[in-house]
Amino acid sequence: MKIASPKSALAALLGGAVALATAARAQAPAGAPEHHDAPPPTNLQVLPKTMTGEQVHELMHKWEASLGSECSTCHAADPTKKRPDGRPMLNFADDSKPEKATARLMVRMVQEINSQYIGKMTDPGEPVTCATCHRGHLDPPPFVAPPDHDHDHAAPGAPAAPSGLTATPQ
């Protein structure tokens, strides 16, 4: 089995995300807002530099949904540039917010998990995404085991202990 390089694995993952986002936009109901003419991205440090502005824009929206966040979570406002509603525009190339550095670190972590671990499995299933852990929350919710989970398991092939009895270490 040939393992794809981290860059090609990321390209495939991003390509799928962009295809899904494009398909979703094509199926959007009439009157749904669309974003046009996304400027070419600058200061890409983790994403492939060949991505278009529209591809980056669509991917960022997917990540927003996965994290339950907004663009301003990672991107700083530029008080010198105003939107038509008077609010400051965001400076997407600016690196002043620590959340942006954290996002880059997390993207690299997801890339590594998918390429170095998931990608090496015989039957890997779905790749890890931001939503795998975050599930729509900026701070991932903690895992809580079901209260009825039985922690006393017999070893494979060993006879089960009679009901109500537990093994004690020797």
Side-chain angles (χ1 to χ4, degrees):
M1 168 172 69
K2 183 177 178 183
I3 303 301
S5 72
K7 283 186 180 177
S8 63
L10 173 64
L13 179 64
L14 294 177
V18 170
L20 286 173
T22 303
R25 189 178 65 228
Q27 297 173 359
E34 287 191 34
H35 298 280
H36 295 285
D37 302 325
T42 58
N43 195 22
L44 294 180
Q45 296 181 20
V46 178
L47 299 176
K49 295 186 185 322
T50 57
M51 290 184 75
T52 66
E54 187 63 27
Q55 289 171 324
V56 171
H57 183 82
E58 294 295 335
L59 182 61
M60 291 295 141
H61 277 283
K62 182 176 175 132
W63 287 350
E64 279 184 314
S66 295
L67 301 172
S69 65
E70 296 182 6
C71 301
S72 59
T73 301
C74 295
H75 298 288
D78 183 347
T80 65
K81 295 181 181 174
K82 303 286 183 185
R83 296 178 0 172
D85 64 3
R87 294 182 9 211
M89 293 180 73
L90 296 177
N91 180 346
F92 297 111
D94 183 276
D95 288 335
S96 64
K97 292 188 82 172
E99 293 85 353
K100 188 172 182 181
T102 300
R104 285 180 172 143
L105 180 68
M106 298 297 284
V107 168
R108 286 184 184 109
M109 178 189 71
V110 167
Q111 290 171 348
E112 182 178 345
I113 290 170
N114 284 323
S115 66
Q116 298 299 315
Y117 301 98
I118 304 297
K120 292 181 179 180
M121 296 171 63
T122 305
D123 187 17
E126 293 294 318
V128 170
T129 68
C130 302
T132 302
C133 297
H134 285 270
R135 299 185 182 273
H137 301 280
L138 193 56
D139 294 319
F143 173 76
V144 178
D148 60 344
H149 182 76
D150 178 13
H151 293 280
D152 297 323
H153 301 281
S163 180
L165 298 178
T166 59
T168 57
Q170 296 179 350

